[in-house]
Amino acid sequence: MRVIVTGANGFVGRATCAALCDAGHEVTALVRRPGGCGPRVHEQVIADDNFASLTPLPAADVLIHLAARVHVMKDNARDPLGEYRTVNVEGSLNVARAALRAGVKRLVYISSIKALGEAEPGRPWREDDPPAPADPYGITKLEAERRLAGFGREQGVEIVVVRPPLVYGPGVRANFEQLMRAVERGIPLPLGAVDARRSMVYVGNLADAIRLLATRSELTNGVFHVTDGDDLSVAQMIRALAKAFNKPARLLPVPVSWLRAVGALTGRTAQVDRLTSPLRMDSTRLRIDLGWTPPTTVADSLARTVRAFREARG
C-alpha cells in the first residue's frame, strides 16, 4: 500500500516507517527537517507545525498522523491551550483535508493515554470510558480525536484512533532514560513499596500495531488501545532493568504515604502520583477483535532498550 506518515523522523515515527517498509509498503514521510528516515522512505519537507501550507500530497491509500505538539512539563507559552489547539487540533484537520485530496481512504491518528486522564477509573481504561483529560496536551488530543471522527463521518474516510500509554525502547528520552541511568549507577531508589501497575508499550510493538491498523484490508474504524499486555509496577520495572544491566536492584521500601508527603512538601505531587498510582489500559479490543499479539515480550523489550542505551554511550 501507499502510506504517508507525519512526524516520521520522531521516536515512534522511525519505528513505524521501518515496520511498514519491512512489510513491503511504499512510505512517504512528511518531516520538518530532512534526514533521519532511512533510505527506504521518500521524504517530503513541510513548512509549518500545523500543516496550514501543506503542499499537495502524493496519491496514497492511508495516512498515519504522528506529528503533534507534545506534552511539555514546563510550558512558557502565553496561551498553552491555544498553542496546543493550533497544532494538535487544527493541524490534524489540515492533515485530514490534504489526505482526502490525495485519495486517502483511512487516516490513523496517534493519540495518547493523556486523552483519557491522569488516573484510571479503578480498573484499566477501556476505549468507551468517559474521558477526563487534565492538561492542555490531553485535552487537545481528545478534541482532535472527536473532530477527526466527525470529519470521517462527513467525508467517508475511515478514522482509526490509537491510544498508547508510556512508550519506551531504543532511543527513549526523558524520565525513562533518567531511570535507566539511576539503575545503571546503582543509585538507591525509594520505590520498593510501590505496587501500583502502569501500562507501557515497546516502540516496536506500537509500530507493529500501527502497521496492522493502517494496512489491514478490512473496514477499520474507531479507537484502539495498544499496550505490551504485561503491566509492571515501578518496582518490577526497576528489577527488570537491573537484570538487563546485570546490576543489583537497589530498592528501598519507603511507604507510599511518605513519598506523597515529600512530594507535597517539595511541590512534586504530580510526579509522585505518576510513580505511585496505577494507570492501566485495556487492549482487549485490538487483541481479541483484530487478533493482534505484541511481537516482542516485555523482558526482551527492556533488554533491547538497555542494550541500545549502552551502545549509544560507546
Side-chain angles (χ1 to χ4, degrees), residues 176-188:
F176 201 96
E177 182 184 27
Q178 292 175 18
L179 183 62
M180 286 195 293
R181 290 185 187 279
V183 172
E184 184 189 35
R185 293 172 182 172
I187 297 173

Side-chain angles (χ1 to χ4, degrees), residues 106 158-160 212-213 216-222 224 290:
R106 180 182 302 164
E158 297 173 37
I159 302 294
V160 178
L212 171 67
L213 289 164
R216 68 191 301 264
S217 58
E218 297 84 357
L219 179 70
T220 308
N221 268 307
F224 294 87
L290 272 59

Side-chain angles (χ1 to χ4, degrees), residues 56 75 83 97 107 130 142 226 248 273 291:
D75 199 333
E83 294 286 341
R97 296 183 190 108
L107 189 151
L142 180 63
V226 185
D273 283 346

Side-chain angles (χ1 to χ4, degrees), residues 178-304:
Q178 292 175 18
L179 183 62
M180 286 195 293
R181 290 185 187 279
V183 172
E184 184 189 35
R185 293 172 182 172
I187 297 173
L189 299 170
L191 302 170
V194 178
D195 59 4
R197 294 175 181 264
R198 298 177 73 89
S199 293
M200 301 190 304
V201 65
Y202 177 58
V203 67
N205 290 340
L206 175 57
D208 185 73
I210 293 171
R211 173 203 57 76
L212 171 67
L213 289 164
T215 61
R216 68 191 301 264
S217 58
E218 297 84 357
L219 179 70
T220 308
N221 268 307
V223 181
F224 294 87
H225 292 173
V226 185
T227 76
D228 284 338
D230 186 4
D231 300 335
L232 304 180
S233 69
V234 174
Q236 288 174 321
M237 183 173 61
I238 290 170
R239 292 188 184 98
L241 286 171
K243 182 178 180 181
F245 275 116
N246 195 26
K247 300 270 188 177
R250 300 188 184 278
L251 285 163
L252 305 178
V254 177
V256 171
S257 59
W258 293 13
L259 295 174
R260 289 177 175 162
V262 171
L265 288 172
T266 59
R268 297 185 176 182
T269 297
Q271 293 93 319
V272 172
D273 283 346
R274 279 195 291 271
L275 287 170
T276 59
S277 302
L279 187 57
R280 298 164 296 167
M281 304 181 81
D282 185 333
S283 55
T284 301
R285 184 181 184 208
L286 182 61
R287 292 166 179 272
I288 302 302
D289 294 357
L290 272 59
W292 179 77
T293 301
T296 309
T297 66
V298 171
D300 285 345
S301 298
L302 289 171
R304 292 180 185 185

